[in-house]
Amino acid sequence: MTFTNRVFSGIQPSGDLHLGNYLGAIRRFVPLQDTHDCIYCVVDMHAITVWQDPDDLRRATREVAAAYVAAGIDPKKAVIFNQSQVMQHAELAWVFNCVARIGWMNRMTQFKDKAGKNSENVSLGLLAYPSLMAADILLYKATHVPVGDDQKQHLELTRDIAAKFNNDYAASIAAQGVGQDDGSFFPITEPLIAGPATRIMSLRDGTKKMSKSDPSDQSRISLLDNADGIAKKIKKATTDPEPLPETVEGLAGRPEADNLIGIYAALSDQTKAQVIAEFGGKGWGIFKPALADLAVAQLGPMGDEMRRLIEDTTTIDAILRDGAERARVIAEATMVDVRSIVGFIR
């Protein structure tokens, strides 16, 4: 018996999805539905690790679901749902809270970044949420997770939790007869490393990641920006005075140039070398309009479809409910075994 070849990934509904979310994650989810059993979640339980206005959370949850569908994920082929509709996520997270070690959580660099000097006053959920993230993945026994650089540490923690659970409960797993050929119950999930332009930087500062928290709206392209807004932001993007380099090596020390060429490469399914072969030596007055036209062509129709779906809450909510029902079947099958493995009487 072997694990199903399954992909799990989730996006937090924190509002204002941008180009970095699309190129770094959502766009890469689409082709996987043709090669893997795919489960794509809107992780609304993660969102409340910091306080959320309930109406904003509902709107942002629908926005992420709309982005999935507008990008090309088929809700009949893949499973699209919001996490809070499948309460087995919380149940398995508690089991994993009792498997994971506090030292593991304290080492999470993302917690340190978000908590800052106020770590004594943030929610317990912010510290423990990597355990919930592990539950998200392992509840479906996902064999693969698409990850960017900022999530690699969390996937390593998921692998550590799976290995410790398999080891701690090895005898019970064997006694229940629910292990794989190697005796494991949970897979040691592998990363699916994305290709170029997985890390999209600010249009105002090429050394900083594109983020919705940046006070300047000009720093990011929102997936809900219209064509005129997209073009204006690209044309106003920070650059240096030099023309585009003739080689990829010439991008060293030029973060804004590297970022814009990387965006063009990702949107056009090319390498940076191919983009430089076309535009190397040319000025920004030629490259920026070409990038703006490409971005509008790629993102404009998706933004239109997102806006339509967000307004059609009946359709979006039906997609989320259907996905949750399908996810719940898999999740409950896992939890029936987990309850027996750990010794819960049912």
Side-chain angles (χ1 to χ4, degrees), residues 208-226:
K208 296 180 179 178
K209 189 176 178 181
M210 186 175 286
S211 169
K212 73 177 185 67
S213 61
D214 192 304
S216 173
D217 184 60
Q218 297 298 310
S219 69
R220 59 190 170 272
I221 294 173
S222 167
L223 297 188
L224 292 174
D225 282 341
N226 60 27

Side-chain angles (χ1 to χ4, degrees), residues 5-7 29-38 77 192:
N5 199 29
R6 179 173 290 147
V7 165
F29 295 170
V30 178
L32 293 173
Q33 66 187 338
D34 296 322
T35 56
H36 294 73
D37 179 6
C38 290
K77 185 181 292 185
L192 281 175

Side-chain angles (χ1 to χ4, degrees), residues 80-297:
I80 299 174
F81 72 106
N82 59 303
Q83 182 187 27
S84 62
Q85 290 202 58
V86 181
M87 292 310 298
Q88 289 88 346
H89 285 257
E91 185 181 4
L92 185 57
W94 176 254
V95 174
F96 285 170
N97 281 345
C98 301
V99 172
R101 306 291 93 176
I102 289 176
W104 299 359
M105 299 301 180
N106 285 333
R107 286 196 294 272
M108 293 291 107
T109 55
Q110 210 167 47
F111 169 74
K112 294 175 184 176
D113 292 342
K114 289 185 177 182
K117 296 177 180 178
N118 198 35
S119 60
E120 293 296 315
N121 292 318
V122 298
S123 74
L124 177 59
L126 190 63
L127 175 65
Y129 93 98
S131 183
L132 176 58
M133 184 179 291
D136 297 336
I137 296 165
L138 296 174
L139 186 59
Y140 304 100
K141 298 186 178 179
T143 53
H144 295 85
V145 173
V147 292
D149 289 338
D150 58 345
Q151 294 298 325
K152 286 180 182 177
Q153 190 183 32
H154 285 139
L155 183 57
E156 283 300 318
L157 181 69
T158 297
R159 290 162 58 91
D160 289 344
I161 289 173
K164 192 170 189 304
F165 183 96
N166 290 340
N167 181 70
D168 289 355
Y169 292 103
S172 185
I173 292 167
Q176 299 293 330
V178 293
Q180 301 294 305
D181 293 340
D182 62 359
S184 64
F185 180 73
F186 287 119
I188 307 301
T189 308
E190 295 291 337
L192 281 175
I193 305 297
T198 57
R199 192 171 176 85
I200 305 301
M201 311 306 280
S202 165
L203 297 180
R204 307 299 273 176
D205 182 349
T207 65
K208 296 180 179 178
K209 189 176 178 181
M210 186 175 286
S211 169
K212 73 177 185 67
S213 61
D214 192 304
S216 173
D217 184 60
Q218 297 298 310
S219 69
R220 59 190 170 272
I221 294 173
S222 167
L223 297 188
L224 292 174
D225 282 341
N226 60 27
D228 187 53
I230 293 170
K232 284 181 177 177
K233 286 180 179 180
I234 289 174
K235 288 173 182 176
K236 290 182 178 179
T238 301
T239 53
D240 55 40
E242 299 299 320
L244 275 70
E246 302 278 359
T247 65
V248 172
E249 289 74 22
L251 292 171
R254 299 182 64 184
E256 284 78 20
D258 186 49
N259 186 41
L260 294 181
I261 287 174
I263 291 171
Y264 192 106
L267 287 173
S268 61
D269 290 319
Q270 297 184 85
T271 64
K272 290 181 182 179
Q274 289 172 314
V275 177
I276 287 174
E278 181 178 355
F279 292 99
K282 295 180 180 177
W284 293 108
I286 293 174
F287 181 74
K288 278 187 173 182
L291 176 57
D293 288 345
L294 174 64
V296 167

